[in-house]
Amino acid sequence: MTRNVTCPADLAVSEEVRMIVVAYMRWQLLHFTPQVVLQLGLWSMWLSGFILIGLSIYATHKLSTFNKDEIKYHPKIAIFAAPAPFTGSAGFRQRIAIRSWLGLSPDITVILFSQHPSVAAFAANFGSRLFVEPNIDFTFLGTPFFHSMVARTQSFESDISVLIDPETILLPDFVSTLNYAYESENDWLLVASSRNVSYFPFNLSDDGKYWLKKDGKMVTTQEFQEILDQSPQWSLCEDRMLLAWNSVELPLHNGVLPPFLYGKGIHNQWVISEALSCQQRFVFDASWTISSLFFNDPENLSNQSGKESQLSGAERRSWESVGNSRLGSLYGSSCFLEVNYSGLANLVKCDGQYLFVNTTENIVYPVTYERLSFWKGQIFHSWRLKKLMACVGGLKLLHRRLDCSLADQLKALPPLDFPFSLESLLYVIADKNKTVVLAVAGYSYREMLMSWVCRLRRLRVTNFVVCALDYETYQFSVLQGLPVFNDPSAPSNISFNDCHFGTKCFQRVTKAKSRMVLQILKLGYNVLLSDVDVYWFKNPLPSLYTYGPSVLAAQSDEYKATGAINLPRRLNSGFYFARSDSSTIAAMEKVVEHAATSGLSEQPSFYDTLCGAGGSNRIGDDRCVEPETNLTVHFLDRNLFPNGAYLGLWQKKNVRRDCAKKGCLVLHNNWISGRLKKLERQVLSGLWEYDTGTRMCMQRWDRTKLTKPTRIF
C-alpha cells in the first residue's frame, strides 16, 4: 500500500511546538531588557535549528518508508505446463493461453514439458522467457508423469511455482493475487479453478499484453466480468485446475507422490488432500481472485500426444484413469477418500481489501501477512459479517459444488489392462525402419527393467516394447507407462531370486524370448532383442542397420581377449538383431523348435542350430552360415558390444570411462551369478538410471539444482 511522505498528525504536533516557541519569544521581547532579548534570540535560534534537524530526520525516515513500499520486490513466477502438440484446434488454444501468460508480467517464465518438435518450434519464437523441458518421465504415448513434473518444478529456482492446464487463459488479477500471497510469511499452496467459456469475442494483442475488441479498443475489467458471469460455475473437482505455491524447500505434502499420469484425473485432488492433511502449508482457494478461463472443448483432447492421436478413443481412455484411481487408493492418507474442499479458505477481494472466507463456519476476516495461520482455529467472527458476505454472496453456491468425495469412485475399479493388441502396440512404437527393441522381464527384475527403460529414454530411444512374463510385471509396467504385453505361454512359478544363468527357471524363461521374437518377425517388424541387464552407452541401432538382409547380428560371449569369437556356444542370445526377412524367420523357427525339445536354455539352441554342433558351420573367426536357410550369423565386435567377462570391464574403477575409451555401445551385465550380485555391480558402477523410492528416472536436474532447463531441441 502506498504511504504519504509526511503524516498530517505528526506535522500538526510539530507546528504546535513551533507556535508555542514563537509566542514565548514574543512575550520575552515585551518584558525583558535588550541583553536578555539578545540571549533569548540566541537560544531561540538554537532551539529552532534543533527542531528543523528533527523534522528533517523524520521526513527522511518517512521518505525511506515510502520508497520501500513503492518499489516492492516483484517475485519471479515460473509457470509449468504440459501442452499437446501444437496442431489443430488444441494448438490454437494453447498458443493463445501461453501468450496470455507471458503478457502479464516480465517476471514470468514459462516452462513447457514436451518432447514433440512442434512445441520446440513454438517456443523458439519467445526467446529466454519460454523453455521446453523434455527431460522428465513420459509414457510411451507421450503423456507426462505428474510426479516427474512436480519434481522438476521443485528443482527450478523461482519465487513462485505454478502448474496449469496448457489451454487456460490468465487475466491480470493472476499476478496481483500471487504478488499479494508472496508477501505472506507463511508457506502456502494456492488452488484455483477456471471458467469454461463458449463465447469470448476478444483477441489478444500482438505483444500479448492487452485484450482487444473487434473495433480495436481495449477490453475493460467490467467487460471481462460480464463474460465470466455468463459462464457456468467452476468446480475444484475437475482436472483443469491451477496449483501455485511459494517455492521454498518445504514439500507440498508428506511422503511420496505416486506416478500419476498428468491430465488423467485424481492427481490434483490427491495433492490438495495430502497438503491439507499434513498441515505444513496454508491451503486456500483463490478462484474468486484469479480470473482464468478456457474455451469449451467437447472432445477434451488437450493432453493428447502425437502417438496417442493414432489410437481410437477406446484405446486411449479408461486404462489411464483406472491407473490413476488405483494409485490414489493405494497411496497417501485415508483422508483422501473422503476429501471435501468446502473447508478450504477462500481468498476474495471486497472494496479493494483481500479477505479470507469460510463458508462452512460463516467466518470472514481480513488478511494480515503475519496471521494466515489464524485459519487453524483462532479466527474471530467479524461484526461486519453480513456486509462482507453480501460481497461474496455467490460463494455459498460454490460451497455446494466442492464436495469431491471420491470414495465411491475408488471402491470398485475394473482390472488394470491395456486395450492394445500386440499389433497395435508395434504399429505405434516402431521406428521408420519398422524396427522394435524387445525386452522380456519378470517381476524380480522390474527395477532393472526400469533402469534399462530410463537409459533408453535418456538416449531418446522410444521404439521399445516389453514382454511381461507375469501379471505383476504387466501391471507394474502399465503404471510406469511402458508399452507392454503379456506372453500367454510364459512359464509360471518364476523364482524371485533363483532365476539366473544355469537354473531351471532361467532355462524356461529364455525360451520365451525366442518365441516372442519369432512372433514379431512374422508380423513384419525387425527386432533388436536386448536383455534388461544390457547397459546402453549409445544407441546401437545405427551400427546394427549396417548389416543387411539375411544376417543375424549377435553378441559374442567369448571371454578370452584374443582369438576367435565364434567358438562353440559363444553366441549370446541376450542381445541380437534380427531382420524380418524369409531367411531369418525360417532360421528362427528352427531355433524355437530345437529349444522346445532341449533340456537346456535357448542359448545352446541358437548356436547348435545356426552354427552347427561343435561349430561345423563356422566361417572365419566371427561368422557362421546356416546352410538350409542361408542365414549368416555375425558375431559383433566385443570392443563395441562387450560381454560381462571381456577385459574385466566391470571390475574397472570407472566403468563408464574405460568403456568410452573402448568405444563401447553397450555393456552386458552377465558372467555373474545371482540377481542381487548383478544389481549390486550395476548400481555401484554408476550405471543405474532409476530411483526406486520415487519411481522416477534419474535426471541431471535431480542431482544439481538448475536455474533454467536445458534446451535440447
Side-chain angles (χ1 to χ4, degrees):
M1 182 180 295
T2 304
R3 296 176 181 169
N4 296 322
V5 175
T6 56
C7 177
D10 291 338
L11 286 183
V13 173
S14 301
E15 182 65 18
E16 288 177 0
V17 172
R18 190 185 68 80
M19 292 178 63
I20 292 172
V21 171
V22 172
Y24 178 75
M25 290 169 61
R26 289 177 177 174
W27 182 82
Q28 291 285 11
L29 287 172
L30 294 173
H31 293 83
F32 293 96
T33 63
Q35 279 188 332
V36 174
V37 170
L38 179 62
Q39 292 178 353
L40 288 174
L42 293 174
W43 278 100
S44 65
M45 290 176 62
W46 176 86
L47 182 59
S48 298
F50 177 79
I51 292 173
L52 288 173
I53 291 172
L55 288 173
S56 176
I57 294 173
Y58 177 81
T60 301
H61 170 73
K62 283 293 183 180
L63 182 60
S64 174
T65 305
F66 168 81
N67 288 334
K68 287 180 181 178
D69 270 340
E70 271 301 299
I71 311 175
K72 287 184 177 180
Y73 172 74
H74 296 287
K76 302 297 181 183
I77 302 172
I79 299 180
F80 298 86
F86 279 81
T87 57
S89 60
F92 173 76
R93 292 190 296 269
Q94 290 175 163
R95 289 185 181 92
I96 295 177
I98 295 170
R99 288 178 57 226
S100 77
W101 309 343
L102 292 168
L104 293 175
S105 167
D107 299 309
I108 289 177
T109 300
V110 175
I111 300 91
L112 303 178
F113 297 118
S114 179
Q115 295 179 337
H116 198 274
S118 67
V119 179
F122 170 77
N125 299 318
F126 294 89
S128 60
R129 293 184 58 207
L130 180 57
F131 294 90
V132 178
E133 175 56 279
N135 297 311
I136 64 167
D137 291 351
F138 293 85
T139 70
F140 76 99
L141 294 175
T143 303
F145 277 95
F146 182 70
H147 69 324
S148 189
M149 292 170 57
V150 172
R152 183 64 182 99
T153 67
Q154 293 170 337
S155 69
F156 190 89
E157 289 189 356
S158 64
D159 298 314
I160 298 174
S161 297
V162 180
L163 271 174
I164 189 172
D165 181 87
E167 295 185 11
T168 297
I169 293 172
L170 293 173
L171 301 182
D173 55 9
F174 165 78
V175 174
S176 58
T177 299
L178 290 190
N179 286 346
Y180 191 86
Y182 181 74
E183 295 295 329
S184 167
E185 294 182 0
N186 292 250
D187 299 318
W188 47 267
L189 170 63
L190 173 157
V191 301
S193 288
S194 303
R195 300 288 186 112
N196 187 342
V197 174
S198 57
Y199 175 71
F200 194 73
F202 310 132
N203 296 312
L204 197 60
S205 62
D206 291 339
D207 59 6
K209 295 182 179 180
Y210 309 102
W211 288 95
L212 305 175
K213 293 181 286 188
K214 291 181 179 180
D215 58 7
K217 295 182 180 179
M218 287 192 298
V219 182
T220 65
T221 303
Q222 180 61 32
E223 289 170 324
F224 271 131
Q225 192 59 51
E226 290 175 358
I227 292 293
L228 295 177
D229 289 344
Q230 296 172 9
S231 305
Q233 287 289 343
W234 59 84
S235 172
L236 281 174
C237 306
E238 297 174 354
D239 282 342
R240 294 181 189 264
M241 185 189 300
L242 181 151
L243 300 178
W245 61 92
N246 53 337
S247 302
V248 294
E249 296 298 326
L250 188 69
L252 296 178
H253 57 85
N254 293 328
V256 175
L257 182 59
F260 292 119
L261 297 182
Y262 176 70
K264 308 303 178 182
I266 303 297
H267 52 74
N268 287 334
Q269 297 95 323
W270 190 94
V271 168
I272 296 171
S273 172
E274 292 302 304
L276 288 169
S277 177
C278 71
Q279 297 184 346
Q280 294 185 18
R281 289 176 178 264
F282 176 69
V283 185
F284 63 97
D285 176 16
S287 298
W288 290 89
T289 54
I290 292 180
S291 300
S292 61
L293 57 96
F294 60 92
F295 297 134
N296 190 16
D297 178 16
E299 295 183 357
N300 193 25
L301 300 178
S302 62
N303 288 314
Q304 184 175 315
S305 70
K307 288 185 177 181
E308 192 174 1
S309 63
Q310 302 175 33
L311 305 173
S312 67
E315 285 179 319
R316 65 172 180 257
R317 277 198 297 267
S318 61
W319 67 272
E320 295 173 314
S321 59
V322 170
N324 277 10
S325 297
R326 283 186 174 275
L327 291 170
S329 64
L330 294 174
Y331 284 77
S333 66
S334 58
C335 302
F336 172 62
L337 298 179
E338 301 295 339
V339 61
N340 189 327
Y341 298 133
S342 60
L344 276 182
N346 293 272
L347 181 65
V348 298
K349 195 172 185 180
C350 293
D351 297 327
Q353 180 185 13
Y354 282 99
L355 305 168
F356 277 119
V357 178
N358 183 331
T359 57
T360 303
E361 301 179 18
N362 285 337
I363 297 175
V364 178
Y365 68 99
V367 177
T368 55
Y369 294 144
E370 297 83 5
R371 308 303 290 273
L372 285 181
S373 59
F374 272 10
W375 191 257
K376 296 180 180 179
Q378 303 175 36
I379 307 171
F380 57 89
H381 288 249
S382 171
W383 62 271
R384 299 176 60 199
L385 178 61
K386 292 183 179 180
K387 180 178 179 180
L388 294 175
M389 284 304 294
C391 177
V392 290
L395 205 57
K396 278 292 184 179
L397 176 61
L398 177 62
H399 163 61
R400 290 194 295 269
R401 292 176 174 265
L402 291 181
D403 186 3
C404 297
S405 175
L406 299 172
D408 293 336
Q409 181 179 342
L410 301 181
K411 280 181 180 177
L413 293 172
L416 183 60
D417 288 323
F418 266 159
F420 313 117
S421 64
L422 175 60
E423 290 84 350
S424 64
L425 276 180
L426 296 175
Y427 175 77
V428 171
I429 67 167
D431 67 8
K432 62 182 180 180
N433 297 309
K434 291 196 71 176
T435 298
V436 298
V437 181
L438 174 65
V440 180
Y443 194 63
S444 61
Y445 276 82
R446 66 190 182 281
E447 290 90 358
M448 189 162 281
L449 166 66
M450 283 309 304
S451 180
W452 180 83
V453 166
C454 291
R455 184 59 189 172
L456 266 61
R457 287 174 175 171
R458 176 74 63 87
L459 295 174
R460 296 292 182 262
V461 177
T462 59
N463 59 323
F464 63 87
V465 64
V466 177
C467 174
L469 296 174
D470 48 63
Y471 183 72
E472 292 77 13
T473 304
Y474 175 82
Q475 190 173 48
F476 173 82
S477 299
V478 170
L479 291 176
Q480 291 290 323
L482 308 184
V484 61
F485 64 94
N486 260 325
D487 177 12
S489 60
S492 58
N493 301 322
I494 299 175
S495 173
F496 192 85
N497 282 316
D498 192 26
C499 203
H500 50 271
F501 183 82
T503 63
K504 293 293 184 182
C505 175
F506 179 83
Q507 294 171 7
R508 299 197 310 272
V509 166
T510 58
K511 295 176 183 181
K513 297 190 295 184
S514 54
R515 288 199 307 270
M516 294 315 308
V517 169
L518 178 58
Q519 182 176 346
I520 295 173
L521 291 175
K522 288 182 175 181
L523 291 172
Y525 295 89
N526 310 317
V527 180
L528 169 56
L529 185 284
S530 176
D531 283 350
V532 296
D533 62 352
V534 177
Y535 186 86
W536 290 30
F537 294 103
K538 298 178 181 179
N539 184 357
L541 281 171
S543 176
L544 296 172
Y545 283 144
T546 62
Y547 298 99
S550 302
V551 176
L552 186 142
Q555 186 179 51
S556 171
D557 225 14
E558 177 56 54
Y559 60 91
K560 294 179 181 178
T562 60
I565 62 175
N566 60 349
L567 295 175
R569 295 193 173 177
R570 285 295 182 244
L571 188 153
N572 190 308
S573 62
F575 188 89
Y576 60 90
F577 177 63
R579 290 186 178 273
S580 178
D581 54 54
S582 57
S583 295
T584 305
I585 291 174
M588 285 298 298
E589 286 177 335
K590 292 170 67 72
V591 171
V592 170
E593 183 180 355
H594 185 280
T597 59
S598 170
L600 303 175
S601 69
E602 69 168 4
Q603 192 152 297
S605 295
F606 264 89
Y607 191 91
D608 293 351
T609 300
L610 303 179
C611 295
S616 59
N617 299 332
R618 288 175 56 204
I619 297 178
D621 291 337
D622 61 358
R623 287 177 298 155
C624 55
V625 176
E626 203 287 313
E628 294 183 7
T629 61
N630 201 33
L631 176 73
T632 298
V633 178
H634 187 96
F635 289 76
L636 294 166
D637 183 349
R638 288 178 299 167
N639 286 325
L640 300 179
F641 301 90
N643 59 64
Y646 181 63
L647 298 180
L649 289 173
W650 281 108
Q651 283 70 50
K652 301 295 183 180
K653 185 176 181 180
N654 191 324
V655 179
R656 189 182 298 275
R657 182 187 60 194
D658 282 89
C659 284
K661 290 179 180 178
K662 289 289 182 183
C664 303
L665 297 177
V666 303
L667 175 61
H668 205 148
N669 189 7
N670 63 344
W671 285 93
I672 187 171
S673 181
R675 182 185 67 89
L676 294 177
K677 290 181 180 179
K678 188 186 294 269
L679 284 169
E680 182 181 28
R681 182 165 75 173
Q682 190 158 337
V683 171
L684 294 179
S685 69
L687 305 183
W688 190 259
E689 305 286 337
Y690 180 63
D691 187 334
T692 58
T694 62
R695 285 197 174 187
M696 285 189 290
C697 295
M698 296 178 179
Q699 304 286 356
R700 286 185 292 270
W701 50 257
D702 197 29
R703 298 161 184 167
T704 304
K705 191 166 187 176
L706 303 177
T707 57
K708 291 182 179 179
T710 303
R711 189 192 295 273
I712 70 163
F713 291 100

